[in-house]
Amino acid sequence: MSHSPVVRAGAPERLARMIRLETVSAELDERGRGDFDRFRELLVELYPLVHEHLAFERVTDLGLLYHWRGRGDGDPVVLMAHFDVVPADASHGWTFPPFEGRIHDGSVWGRGALDDKGPLLVLLEAAENLLAEGFAPARDVYLSFGGNEESYGGAAIAAADLLREQGVIPWLVLDEGGAVVDAPLPFLKVPAAMVGVGEKGVMTVRLSARGDGGHASAPPRLTAAARVARAVARLSPNPFPKRMPRSMRSMLRAFAPHTKGGARLLLRLLTALPWLTARVFARIGGEPAALVQTTVAPTMLGGGSAANVLPAEASATINLRVAIGEDVASVVRRLRQVIRERQVAIDVLEGDDPSPESPVDAPQFRAIADAVRASYPEAITAPYLMMAATDSRHFHRFAPAVYRFAPLAMTAAQRASIHGVDERVSIDSLERGERFHRALIRSLPE
């Protein structure tokens, strides 16, 4: 079998065509499923060898599951991505219309370029290129693509359940998550492939209070709106404990050999004193703070019908990302303690506990690190804790090794463009991402 790579040209153009299909899962009811069905048809056109050689199964209306038979009978690998995107409004300052799929200045621009059509593309590119050279993997590979990850991932739940019912216990699950970044910590400027080994839980909670309506000219001492406002105010500063997850200590240890001087001393100190590190990170704020504690973000406020009418009911919606060591029940208990207001109801609208942390000292993690070396030789591979939720969380109930890494380079500005404005991926990054997956699939053990 030839090992000389067969790499097709035209990947940026294929991604541009994917971006032009407005697969916005949050708007599915208004838009209908047309673009989702067209996306599936587009994959058949763009990846003929994948569709010739891999078994295909539709899982719910929005899940696509491909099965690539391997040479051996080792536990299979599940490689994941999603093809739905969040909404994008061209009036919000996009350089190019968000669904135009413009190729400009060495990048492909548009909603989904990074989240998550770019990562889906590089996975299919690698599979198509390996099939073109007659390659068969050492063990079975499943490609699991969801069409509603951005709206709680029903397709991924169904795919995980289906595989579990078939007795499939994946050796490795790999989904979106971390990326190759140029400054993983504020004091550390070194290229790093950040591999999510666990993810925080996610909760949406509604705080609500009722009161007597009426004219605003003679308000009671505490209106429904005031009760809810006071409850929200009591959640700042963050009332949750600060603790260092195991994955963060592993992350700091991974960085230490690649630093010198003050930075190395600081990393050694932070690794040796996890209780201090948790407090330091909490004080830094932003992403470092989110790594060490449950975060509380009031996102929606509601109540009232007119400027001069007391609301009979007021509410606040709170989005929480639940840290390792907490769960949905413990978060609700702490909210009650901190709010200290019996007349404010706390309703959990949705809640997922954090996932367990997958091992760093394991052949699966080493396989990812080896594929990083083949595609981004300048980057250190380091574990970290994911703050966002991914479809892979539905596998951790029965899969021992679940990791989250999209093999694309992302600057701070690009990371900010995910769910924001001017989302774009570099063409160089697409080439390296394809190389990553090709190396990973080629090197799977028997």
Side-chain angles (χ1 to χ4, degrees):
M1 184 188 301
S2 166
H3 273 198
S4 58
V6 180
V7 180
R8 285 194 305 169
E13 289 75 18
R14 287 188 282 278
L15 178 57
R17 291 185 65 187
M18 291 182 186
I19 288 169
R20 288 176 199 135
L21 294 172
E22 300 186 32
T23 50
V24 181
S25 52
E27 299 171 359
L28 196 58
D29 291 342
E30 307 96 89
R31 290 172 175 268
R33 238 180 51 202
D35 273 353
F36 290 82
D37 291 338
R38 281 185 280 275
F39 189 87
R40 154 78 182 135
E41 291 159 9
L42 179 64
L43 295 189
V44 176
E45 176 193 338
L46 298 182
Y47 300 99
L49 295 178
V50 166
H51 289 87
E52 179 187 339
H53 293 281
L54 275 60
F56 171 73
E57 186 169 359
R58 202 155 196 161
V59 185
T60 74
D61 289 339
L62 294 172
L64 312 176
L65 184 65
Y66 297 86
H67 183 192
W68 191 356
R69 293 268 176 205
R71 303 188 303 272
D73 56 2
D75 290 337
V77 169
V78 178
L79 304 176
M80 303 179 67
H82 66 89
F83 57 93
D84 63 317
V85 298
V86 295
D89 189 332
S91 69
H92 290 172
W94 286 74
T95 303
F96 306 110
F99 294 105
E100 183 187 309
R102 177 76 68 94
I103 300 172
H104 171 77
D105 195 23
S107 293
V108 184
W109 297 62
R111 175 61 82 226
L114 295 170
D115 184 18
D116 188 40
K117 289 177 178 175
L120 183 148
L121 171 116
V122 296
L123 178 47
L124 282 170
E125 293 288 321
E128 189 78 4
N129 290 333
L130 285 168
L131 288 165
E133 57 180 81
F135 178 81
R139 53 180 72 205
D140 286 14
V141 174
Y142 288 89
L143 310 181
S144 180
F145 302 145
N148 53 6
E149 190 274 345
E150 301 291 2
S151 47
Y152 307 122
I157 295 171
D161 289 345
L162 175 67
L163 291 177
R164 192 180 194 181
E165 285 160 17
Q166 293 174 352
V168 172
I169 308 295
W171 180 75
L172 164 68
V173 176
L174 183 62
D175 196 5
E176 63 169 339
V180 179
V181 301
D182 47 16
L185 293 171
F187 52 84
L188 193 63
K189 305 288 188 284
V190 58
M194 303 302 296
V195 178
V197 296
E199 63 186 59
K200 297 176 79 172
V202 61
M203 284 177 70
T204 304
V205 171
R206 184 172 59 224
L207 311 180
S208 58
R210 301 190 67 80
D212 295 328
H215 202 280
S217 58
R221 189 178 67 82
L222 263 183
T223 65
R227 284 188 192 282
V228 169
R230 187 168 71 175
V232 171
R234 284 176 174 166
L235 295 176
S236 180
N238 186 310
F240 285 88
K242 300 151 188 62
R243 46 167 83 89
M244 268 277 277
R246 189 176 69 238
S247 52
M248 271 196 60
R249 293 200 288 276
S250 299
M251 177 184 78
L252 296 174
R253 278 195 292 271
F255 289 142
H258 303 276
T259 57
K260 51 190 175 192
R264 175 174 286 196
L265 197 62
L266 178 59
L267 279 177
R268 283 182 174 163
L269 183 66
L270 293 175
T271 308
L273 301 170
W275 60 271
L276 175 64
T277 306
R279 281 153 184 75
V280 169
F281 276 48
R283 290 294 296 273
I284 291 171
E287 286 188 2
L291 288 168
V292 297
Q293 62 193 137
T294 295
T295 55
V296 184
T299 53
M300 298 165 70
L301 300 170
S305 56
N308 61 348
V309 177
L310 296 173
E313 184 171 10
S315 67
T317 302
I318 314 288
N319 187 262
L320 301 105
R321 301 302 167 121
V322 184
I324 302 282
E326 304 266 0
D327 58 27
V328 170
S330 70
V331 167
V332 171
R333 284 196 300 273
R334 187 168 291 271
L335 290 176
R336 290 194 193 285
Q337 290 167 3
V338 173
I339 289 170
R340 304 193 307 277
E341 175 68 81
R342 281 200 308 273
Q343 286 169 282
V344 172
I346 301 173
D347 295 302
V348 178
L349 304 183
E350 55 114 10
D352 273 322
D353 292 338
S355 73
E357 294 173 277
S358 294
V360 174
D361 184 18
Q364 295 93 328
F365 189 87
R366 288 193 288 276
I368 294 168
D370 288 345
V372 168
R373 270 192 292 278
S375 49
Y376 295 90
E378 70 282 6
I380 304 156
T381 300
Y384 86 115
L385 181 67
M386 277 269 306
M387 287 163 281
T390 71
D391 274 345
S392 68
R393 71 187 186 279
H394 306 302
F395 280 86
H396 74 68
R397 292 166 295 150
F398 64 101
V402 180
Y403 300 93
R404 301 144 187 95
F405 173 68
L408 302 176
M410 300 186 198
T411 63
Q414 283 172 302
R415 293 203 304 280
S417 76
I418 294 173
H419 292 208
V421 170
D422 277 352
E423 189 176 346
R424 63 198 179 278
V425 62
S426 75
I427 292 171
D428 173 69
S429 205
L430 296 176
E431 292 169 356
R432 287 168 177 252
E434 184 277 337
R435 202 177 308 152
F436 169 89
H437 278 300
R438 194 154 30 93
L440 179 67
I441 294 167
R442 193 190 286 289
S443 67
L444 292 175
E446 295 281 356

